Amino acid sequence: MSKGMVYLVGAGPGDPDLITVKGLACLQKAEVVVYDRLSSSRLLSCAPPGAELIYAGKHPTRHALTQEEINRLLIEKARQGKTVVRLKGGDPFIFGRGGEEAEALAEAGIPFEVVPGVTSATAVPAYAGIPVTHRRCASTLAVVTGNEDPSREDTRIAWDKLATGADTIVFLMGMANLEFIAGQLMAHGRHPDTPVAVIQWGTLPEQKTIAAPLKEIADRAKEAGLTSPAVIVVGEVASLRPKLSWWEKKPLFGRRV
């Protein structure tokens, strides 16, 4: 039997309108869609009638499938000659474990393509009125995982260099570790009064944003009841939010039409 094809497609940060043209085209010809927790039902409805939809979502406390099971599933479906779309939130190669899936496919001899997506690292702050770079106050940007591989005994994050090494620092998947993150940044030289914003469910009608100085952000987020998924933005750019906020000011914000 001829080998199928796997497309590793970035679905964007949440708003289904932010998927790329190529990503949508892949969905429209898929025979199998393996999708993540944050995939929109609107996007899934773009798959052809009869396409097999397989949920592979990962919640911070539980996984529908392990990463190894997902890898095997993609290989198995492709070996059946199917056109497979692996629909992943954000961009597959930015903390989406797309690199691991591509490695597994390459080792199995399965043809694949990567379709980059709009990453939440830039889109979610934008929807909160925060440009992650700004000519006046942010010439450098760091995107950091807030949830390192739990099997590692050490860390790959050089906090002593990171804390003051980038004007803007964006943490993805870091809500459970927000207090630790803030503490590490301050301990390694970031000023306690540095503006910080935390954006939950970014780009969606449920979006909720809080802002506070670095020294207060963990307590403020807890008081507001913020949980994952959320993006954490550290830096002077977060102070631009009151002036540039646009999504949460739209007349129908918070409603699903």
Side-chain angles (χ1 to χ4, degrees), residues 180-250:
F180 172 79
I181 289 168
Q184 287 293 306
L185 292 175
M186 288 186 289
H188 290 92
R190 197 74 176 212
H191 198 286
D193 289 329
T194 301
V196 182
V198 179
I199 309 116
Q200 181 185 39
W201 292 111
T203 78
L204 294 172
E206 299 88 350
Q207 178 174 307
K208 182 177 181 180
T209 307
I210 64 161
L214 183 59
K215 62 188 177 185
E216 300 174 9
I217 193 63
D219 288 339
R220 290 283 298 279
K222 186 175 181 180
E223 290 168 4
L226 263 61
T227 57
S228 65
V231 171
I232 303 161
V233 185
V234 179
E236 292 301 321
V237 291
S239 67
L240 296 171
R241 169 177 159 72
K243 181 189 293 185
L244 303 182
S245 177
W246 61 275
W247 175 241
E248 293 169 35
K249 292 180 179 178
K250 291 177 75 70

Side-chain angles (χ1 to χ4, degrees), residues 13-14 55 67 91-92 96 98-100 104 146 152 161 193-195 202 209 248:
Y55 178 64
Q67 188 60 55
D91 182 285
E100 296 171 53
R152 292 181 59 91
K161 297 178 175 63
D193 289 329
T194 301
T209 307
E248 293 169 35

Side-chain angles (χ1 to χ4, degrees), residues 75-221:
I75 293 167
E76 173 192 334
K77 294 298 181 181
R79 282 179 172 163
Q80 294 172 5
K82 302 288 182 66
T83 298
V84 182
V85 166
R86 174 69 173 109
L87 192 62
K88 304 175 72 67
D91 182 285
F93 277 10
I94 300 181
F95 302 129
R97 305 191 73 171
E100 296 171 53
E101 294 171 1
E103 280 186 301
L105 294 167
E107 290 166 5
I110 302 296
F112 67 91
E113 290 186 14
V114 181
V115 182
V118 177
T119 174
S120 60
T122 55
V124 168
Y127 267 57
I130 301 170
V132 292
T133 65
H134 192 285
R135 193 175 176 88
R136 187 173 66 249
C137 59
S139 299
T140 54
L141 166 68
V143 181
V144 185
T145 178
N147 183 24
E148 286 191 278
D149 183 348
S151 67
R152 292 181 59 91
E153 294 183 0
D154 57 347
T155 177
R156 295 190 63 85
I157 300 174
W159 291 101
D160 57 331
K161 297 178 175 63
L162 175 67
T164 58
D167 296 321
T168 304
I169 310 174
V170 175
F171 290 90
L172 305 184
M173 306 172 294
M175 276 307 296
N177 298 317
L178 179 54
E179 185 174 0
F180 172 79
I181 289 168
Q184 287 293 306
L185 292 175
M186 288 186 289
H188 290 92
R190 197 74 176 212
H191 198 286
D193 289 329
T194 301
V196 182
V198 179
I199 309 116
Q200 181 185 39
W201 292 111
T203 78
L204 294 172
E206 299 88 350
Q207 178 174 307
K208 182 177 181 180
T209 307
I210 64 161
L214 183 59
K215 62 188 177 185
E216 300 174 9
I217 193 63
D219 288 339
R220 290 283 298 279

